[in-house]
Amino acid sequence: MLFTTHLLFLFIQFAYGQYPPPQINDSQVGIDTGYHGPLESCSCAEDRPRIKWITFGTNTSYAQDGGDTFYSTWGPDWDTWFTIDDSAGIKASCSPNGSNIIINKARGPSVADLRPATVNCLQKEWGLHGDDMGHGDDGSWKTTGLSWLDDVLYLWVSRNFAPAAGNNSLRQTAQNSCLLKSLNYGVTFQGPDDEECYTNPTFPGRLFGTPSFIQYGRNGEAGPHGSDKYAYAISNDGSWDNGDSIQLGRVPRERIANLSSKDWEFFNGSPSEVSWTRNLSDAKPLLYSQNQLSSTAAIYNPYLEEYILNEWYFPNRTGYGVYPQALYPTVWTWYASRKPWGPYRVVSNTSWPNAAWYNPSVLNKFWGFDGKSGTVITSGHAYLNHSSQVLSTIPFEIETFW
């Protein structure tokens, strides 16, 4: 790896006390499996790629911050906001029964100095940990993304189902996504409640079952490609793990707060011929790779002017196949593109043989100098025999063409 120093501790202390030191396990280093992209970049100035390859450092894990899906966003207060699913919360703040979905934020000027705190456990709204809210369908609510846009905090939720025999090759499926908003920094959320989202979701079915807004700047500060007028969101075809395709949607920023699917349209063109449709069923995938496109996040790197799609999957098909053997290895296949609608190319293909890192999300606030380094926040089964579903950070570096 290219790193000269280890990543300093994330979450060193809470606002009211010293945080316990993290566990660092060198055996969790990813294995670069090769293929460093094209030998030469495109000669076309507009589409000429900057990112050649991405490599990762050693994880730093925090066993006391348990949970899943740490999707992150950069708030107007300059804080880092993030979700946790299936957790008791930061320092057990949502104990004793935990919660399906939790909103958190962390203050601090650097990764080493962040101080996390729980903002909202959302237990009444979206259930205790594993609670199906009385629907009797063996499902529960999970988040697929969190974003600040123009002083409004937006949260995606969807209905997730643990796999059973015959259920889509043992994947954990996701469907019926809903968009919520908070006008008071996450204290309360407006939009469909549990019952309405269950019976009349924003996007019924699985085709847009795991939506997440593409992250630009702080508080949704706009980037290129019309992002001053539209908010873009990606979703796979309704699987937490091991999905098959990625769809792209957009909504006018002036109408996003309506929380209405009628305001949305979906990409159905090609990188050279961009077009949109109001009909989700007519959307054309940005990417198709069977069993290798899980629920994920995407971010725009303003320094290198490229979009990064943080994909991951379990080669053994599911996190619930034969527990815990099916969790290992995990593969991160990251993609990059000069435009939100592609074309996307592979810029990392990393296998984690002894760790189940999933749902990676780049911390938008902490790009390194010239955007050539950063930190990803992720969850997973960090150690074969010690702990599972813990918050971890992993540094990365970007090799560029020019």
Side-chain angles (χ1 to χ4, degrees):
M1 298 296 176
L2 303 176
F3 297 95
T4 58
T5 60
H6 285 295
L7 176 68
L8 294 176
F9 293 162
L10 173 67
F11 298 113
I12 286 181
Q13 57 184 345
F14 290 99
Y16 46 82
Q18 183 69 30
Y19 195 80
Q23 302 179 56
I24 299 178
N25 188 333
D26 289 336
S27 68
Q28 308 305 325
V29 174
I31 298 175
D32 187 338
T33 58
Y35 177 67
H36 284 217
L39 296 177
E40 297 181 0
S41 59
C42 176
S43 60
C44 306
E46 183 180 0
D47 296 323
R48 186 182 179 193
R50 291 289 312 273
I51 298 174
K52 182 178 182 182
W53 201 244
I54 299 176
T55 54
F56 299 94
T58 303
N59 68 288
T60 300
S61 297
Y62 302 82
Q64 291 195 5
D65 283 344
D68 290 324
T69 59
F70 299 98
Y71 289 116
S72 64
T73 186
W74 190 6
D77 53 2
W78 294 86
D79 291 343
T80 296
W81 292 68
F82 62 99
T83 61
I84 307 180
D85 286 350
D86 301 334
S87 175
I90 300 294
K91 205 174 182 180
S93 54
C94 300
S95 290
N97 297 313
S99 180
N100 282 334
I101 299 172
I102 303 172
I103 306 299
N104 317 269
K105 72 173 182 175
R107 294 181 176 178
S110 69
V111 172
D113 296 319
L114 290 180
R115 294 173 174 85
T118 295
V119 174
N120 192 337
C121 294
L122 292 170
Q123 291 169 314
K124 181 179 179 181
E125 296 89 340
W126 301 102
L128 305 176
H129 183 185
D131 183 12
D132 74 352
M133 299 290 282
H135 296 297
D137 61 350
D138 295 324
S140 60
W141 297 110
K142 302 288 182 269
T143 182
T144 62
L146 183 74
S147 293
W148 276 102
L149 290 165
D150 305 322
D151 297 318
V152 179
L153 182 61
Y154 291 95
L155 173 69
W156 289 101
V157 301
S158 66
R159 194 73 173 167
N160 275 227
F161 298 88
N167 181 18
N168 196 29
S169 301
L170 295 179
R171 300 173 183 176
Q172 180 170 322
T173 57
Q175 65 185 41
N176 295 352
S177 58
C178 289
L179 181 60
L180 315 175
K181 68 178 179 181
S182 174
L183 304 178
N184 55 8
Y185 282 76
V187 176
T188 59
F189 281 85
Q190 302 175 18
D193 59 14
D194 157 63
E195 186 62 33
E196 184 178 357
C197 191
Y198 188 81
T199 58
N200 187 30
T202 308
F203 295 110
R206 294 179 52 195
L207 189 56
F208 215 64
T210 63
S212 179
F213 283 112
I214 295 177
Q215 302 286 322
Y216 285 92
R218 182 179 68 90
N219 194 27
E221 179 183 357
H225 307 115
S227 56
D228 58 332
K229 298 179 180 179
Y230 293 93
Y232 295 100
I234 59 166
S235 173
N236 80 354
D237 54 340
S239 290
W240 170 73
D241 65 313
N242 295 61
D244 299 325
S245 65
I246 297 290
Q247 282 63 243
L248 175 69
R250 71 177 187 180
V251 59
R253 291 177 73 124
E254 64 182 11
R255 296 204 294 271
I256 184 176
N258 296 340
L259 307 180
S260 173
S261 61
K262 296 179 181 179
D263 295 323
W264 284 73
E265 54 187 2
F266 303 91
F267 182 74
N268 73 336
S270 68
S272 59
E273 296 185 11
V274 178
S275 61
W276 303 88
T277 177
R278 295 283 185 183
N279 191 343
L280 176 57
S281 62
D282 291 334
K284 293 183 180 179
L286 298 180
L287 287 170
Y288 183 87
S289 184
Q290 189 172 14
N291 302 324
Q292 296 185 3
L293 298 172
S294 304
S295 177
T296 189
I299 191 168
Y300 178 73
N301 184 325
Y303 304 91
L304 303 182
E305 299 180 339
E306 289 219 63
Y307 296 84
I308 300 175
L309 179 63
N310 316 130
E311 266 302 342
W312 63 279
Y313 67 97
F314 297 125
N316 292 331
R317 296 293 300 275
T318 174
Y320 290 81
V322 180
Y323 184 87
Q325 292 92 327
L327 298 173
Y328 312 99
T330 310
V331 174
W332 284 9
T333 302
W334 284 22
Y335 298 83
S337 173
R338 291 301 300 270
K339 300 174 181 178
W341 41 80
Y344 282 86
R345 66 193 187 282
V346 174
V347 292
S348 179
N349 197 29
T350 300
S351 176
W352 303 90
N354 298 317
W357 303 131
Y358 48 76
N359 298 105
S361 174
V362 174
L363 293 173
N364 200 3
K365 183 179 177 179
F366 300 113
W367 289 109
F369 179 70
D370 288 341
K372 294 184 179 182
S373 64
T375 301
V376 62
I377 185 172
T378 184
S379 183
H381 297 260
Y383 317 111
L384 287 170
N385 300 312
H386 299 289
S387 60
S388 65
Q389 292 179 304
V390 298
L391 183 150
S392 297
T393 60
I394 300 174
F396 63 86
E397 290 197 359
I398 298 175
E399 180 184 356
T400 60
F401 284 109
W402 48 283

